[in-house]
Amino acid sequence: SVTLSFPTDMIEIVGISKEKSFLSLWTEETVIREEQGEIHFSGGTTERGGIIGSTTALTISVRAKHPGSAQLYFKEAHVLASDGHGDRKS
């Protein structure tokens, strides 16, 4: 479960793709809260042993509102262990 934050004065979210995601189970629909500057998604994988290494969860397409730099950051993130118990690893 992840909530990303972004500066609404700098960028707008124009698209989200799950096409190349390692997540095979989506426990909640992905939500863009444009006014609050947040994107929330939640999911999991059925891969035995979970995820090892680096991979892609979502591809987010943005459009700049004006020149400058902007950062997206993790406002909240929870990772559950792939051990049959789902112990939280925040």
Side-chain angles (χ1 to χ4, degrees):
S1 174
V2 173
T3 301
L4 298 172
S5 185
F6 62 92
T8 59
D9 60 327
M10 296 293 292
I11 61 173
E12 65 177 302
I13 306 301
V14 294
I16 292 180
S17 173
K18 300 175 184 176
E19 187 175 326
K20 296 181 181 180
S21 179
F22 72 88
L23 298 172
S24 54
L25 302 170
W26 293 93
T27 55
E28 297 176 282
E29 276 300 313
T30 301
V31 177
I32 302 170
R33 298 181 193 109
E34 191 78 36
E35 290 182 12
Q36 291 89 357
E38 294 180 349
I39 300 169
H40 178 78
F41 65 94
S42 182
T45 182
T46 56
E47 290 294 319
R48 187 173 180 90
I51 301 301
I52 297 173
S54 61
T55 187
T56 300
L58 288 176
T59 301
I60 302 168
S61 299
V62 301
R63 178 178 296 127
K65 292 183 176 180
H66 52 81
S69 63
Q71 295 181 1
L72 278 74
Y73 65 91
F74 288 91
K75 182 175 182 180
E76 186 174 356
H78 302 284
V79 177
L80 303 181
S82 181
D83 62 0
H85 302 285
D87 295 328
R88 183 180 281 193
K89 309 289 183 195
S90 295

